[in-house]
């Protein structure tokens, strides 16, 4: 009985640790830089977090299954290039095209994983290489700047509503849609069941392969949406536009409390994790840490978060 109580207590601590960490970080940075707590700064923080959150939201669906998607940054970069190349001819249709390409790419990656029985990290790593090369080829290995006319289509990204940046509203819409998908649909329930125990899910009649394909399609679609938003915010498309976002996006999911082994987690946890990563990044910027050296910190944070959240009962042998 005591062991059960201790286990429940440990689970509660793990559940609320990310939120407590976020509060402590915000207070710490606010004490060091009081301007950080001003409403305008916090809104800017939310706007800067939106892209990371959308990327992390997509991969949350995959991690909940116990898989991984390593093609996120390449998909986002390719989407930015697609927007930059087609927005003059297609207008708002360029955004739809980019997200549709993402859905197809995710579908293919998912099929490669489940039909060919290729581990998810290999299937998505290879897909990431294909996407990166495709972006290089169609962009002629250069960044594509959006002109003044093209930027007119980006107001839903770069504008604001009642003083709130539009990109924050987009992020909130993504939060609501993703939360409904995960908590109010059969897909979300089955995903958690598969992550908690795939053999048991198979035995219960869950169509595991179909669930996995849907998850990878969603992951790539959200990555493409993140690339569309990046293109709008930076007024350009580039094969390397999202090159530094893979590690932070995965770290955001795990730091938020979603177990890397699957079965435990939520979109709300991912939101908290994304905010933690953003606050840590701002804190390092205040301390003068080089932007390229920040991935060292994110790597360390990811290792610590995995060590805390991992369910070792599922992996008695670590390979």
């Amino acid at each position: 009985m005591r062991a059960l109580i201790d286990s429940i207590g440990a689970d509660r601590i793990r559940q609320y640790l990310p939120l407590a960490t976020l509060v402590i970080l915000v207070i710490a940075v606010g004490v060091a830089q009081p301007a950080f707590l001003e409403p305008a700064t916090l809104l800017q923080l939310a706007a800067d977090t939106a892209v990371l959150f959308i990327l992390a939201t997509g991969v949350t669906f995959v991690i909940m299954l116990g898989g991984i998607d390593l093609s996120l940054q390449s998909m986002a970069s390719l989407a930015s290039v697609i927007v930059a190349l087609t927005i003059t001819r297609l207008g708002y249709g360029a955004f739809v095209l980019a997200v549709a390409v993402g859905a197809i790419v995710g579908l293919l990656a998912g099929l490669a994983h489940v039909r060919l029985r290729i581990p998810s990290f290999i299937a998505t790593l290879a897909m990431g290489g294909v996407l990166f090369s495709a972006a290089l080829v169609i962009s002629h290995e250069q960044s594509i700047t959006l002109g003044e006319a093209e930027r007119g289509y980006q107001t839903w990204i770069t504008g604001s509503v009642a003083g709130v940046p539009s990109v924050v509203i987009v992020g909130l819409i993504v939060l609501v849609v993703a939360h409904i998908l995960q908590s109010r649909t059969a897909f979300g329930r089955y995903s958690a069941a598969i992550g908690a125990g795939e053999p048991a899910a198979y035995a219960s009649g869950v169509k595991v392969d179909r669930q996995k394909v849907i998850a990878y399609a969603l992951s790539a679609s959200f990555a493409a949406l993140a690339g569309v938003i990046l293109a709008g915010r930076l007024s350009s498309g580039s094969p390397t536009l999202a090159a530094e976002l893979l590690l932070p996006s995965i770290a955001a999911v795990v730091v938020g409390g979603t177990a890397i082994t699957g079965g435990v987690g939520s979109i709300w946890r991912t939101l908290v994790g994304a905010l933690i990563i953003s606050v840590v990044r701002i804190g390092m910027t205040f301390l003068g840490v080089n932007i390229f050296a920040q991935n060292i910190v994110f790597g360390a944070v990811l290792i610590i978060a995995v060590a805390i959240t991992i369910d070792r009962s599922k992996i008695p042998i670590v390979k």
Side-chain angles (χ1 to χ4, degrees):
M1 176 64 72
R2 183 175 181 81
L4 177 61
I5 294 174
D6 290 342
S7 175
I8 294 174
D11 288 341
R12 285 189 174 276
I13 291 173
R14 280 197 293 265
Q15 181 178 354
Y16 292 106
L17 183 60
L19 185 58
T21 301
L22 175 61
V23 172
I24 292 170
L25 284 172
V26 169
I27 293 173
V29 176
V31 169
Q33 294 285 337
F36 174 74
L37 297 178
E38 294 179 358
T41 305
L42 293 177
L43 280 175
Q44 187 59 48
L45 170 68
D48 292 341
T49 305
V51 171
L52 176 62
F53 169 66
I54 293 170
L55 274 171
T57 293
V59 78
T60 299
F61 292 114
V62 175
I63 291 178
M64 281 292 292
L65 292 165
I68 195 68
D69 187 350
L70 300 179
S71 65
L72 295 176
Q73 80 285 16
S74 297
M75 185 64 251
S77 297
L78 176 60
S80 75
V81 172
I82 291 173
V83 168
L85 288 175
T86 62
I87 193 168
T88 301
R89 297 190 300 276
L90 300 181
Y92 292 108
F95 309 134
V96 177
L97 175 62
V99 175
V101 169
I104 293 170
V105 165
L107 180 67
L108 293 175
L111 288 173
H113 170 50
V114 302
R115 296 299 184 191
L116 302 180
R117 299 299 173 188
I118 300 173
S120 60
F121 80 94
I122 292 294
T124 56
L125 182 64
M127 182 61 76
V130 171
L131 298 176
F132 176 63
S133 297
L136 285 172
V137 170
I138 65 175
S139 67
H140 302 291
E141 303 177 22
Q142 60 186 0
S143 177
I144 304 167
T145 302
L146 296 176
E148 200 64 38
E150 290 82 5
R151 293 175 192 175
Y153 293 104
Q154 308 279 359
T155 53
W156 65 278
I157 300 172
T158 58
S160 63
V161 178
V164 178
S166 298
V167 69
V168 174
I169 296 174
V170 174
L172 290 175
I173 293 172
V174 168
L175 172 64
V176 172
V177 171
H179 173 68
I180 292 172
L181 279 173
Q182 189 177 57
S183 64
R184 306 293 182 186
T185 67
F187 165 75
R189 294 191 294 272
Y190 290 156
S191 294
I194 293 168
E198 189 168 322
Y202 264 119
S204 300
V206 175
K207 297 185 183 299
V208 174
D209 287 353
R210 184 172 68 184
Q211 295 296 121
K212 289 183 176 182
V213 171
I214 293 173
Y216 284 99
L218 285 172
S219 180
S221 297
F222 280 111
L225 176 60
V228 167
I229 294 173
L230 270 178
R233 299 198 75 200
L234 301 178
S235 297
S236 67
S238 168
T240 59
L241 200 65
E244 301 298 323
L245 292 178
L246 176 61
L247 183 56
S249 62
I250 294 176
V253 178
V254 181
V255 167
T258 296
I260 197 70
T261 47
V264 176
S266 72
I267 300 301
W268 286 98
R269 294 188 186 192
T270 296
L271 175 61
V272 171
L275 288 170
I276 288 174
I277 295 298
S278 292
V279 174
V280 169
R281 175 175 284 160
I282 287 177
M284 288 190 291
T285 301
F286 283 152
L287 293 173
V289 178
N290 185 289
I291 188 172
F292 297 108
Q294 291 179 7
N295 274 344
I296 297 174
V297 176
F298 294 143
V301 167
L302 181 57
I303 291 173
I304 294 170
V306 170
I308 293 173
T309 61
I310 194 170
D311 184 357
R312 290 170 178 79
S313 65
K314 293 184 181 179
I315 46 171
I317 298 175
V318 179
K319 297 183 179 180

